[in-house]
Amino acid sequence: MNHNWYAVITANVLMDKDLSDKQKLLVALISNLSNEKGYAFPSNKYLADCLSCSEVTIRQNISTLEVKGYIVRVLKLNSKN
């Protein structure tokens, strides 16, 4: 992967002692991906590849971050016309 950008971790995320380092990086990655439009729909596989972990780890961490209020998950449903 060739990424030419940087990610910012806000102080409240950085200082949250209940978050793992991986969870903090995940917040930063999702935040960066959503900078342009205010939202992003990265796959768990993409996030796992970026952070060198499993999709299971990503799913678990996303759930934790959602419960703690750091991210909001919106389900994107494909509608058939």
Side-chain angles (χ1 to χ4, degrees):
M1 277 180 241
N2 182 16
H3 296 133
N4 190 22
W5 45 264
Y6 61 92
V8 175
I9 300 174
T10 59
N12 62 329
V13 172
L14 183 63
M15 304 305 278
D16 189 332
K17 295 183 185 319
D18 293 330
L19 292 181
S20 70
D21 292 345
K22 184 78 72 181
Q23 289 166 336
K24 293 174 184 182
L25 289 172
L26 183 56
V27 169
L29 177 57
I30 292 170
S31 176
N32 184 278
L33 292 171
S34 65
N35 274 342
E36 185 175 321
K37 296 182 181 178
Y39 60 89
F41 293 103
S43 68
N44 289 341
K45 180 177 180 358
Y46 176 80
L47 297 171
D49 288 346
C50 286
L51 297 177
S52 301
C53 62
S54 71
E55 290 181 55
V56 170
T57 298
I58 293 296
R59 283 193 298 272
Q60 291 169 339
N61 287 329
I62 285 175
S63 292
T64 298
L65 294 170
E66 187 176 28
V67 167
K68 292 186 73 58
Y70 287 116
I71 63 172
V72 176
R73 186 175 1 195
V74 176
L75 298 178
K76 181 179 172 187
L77 302 175
N78 292 329
S79 60
K80 295 184 181 184
N81 298 349

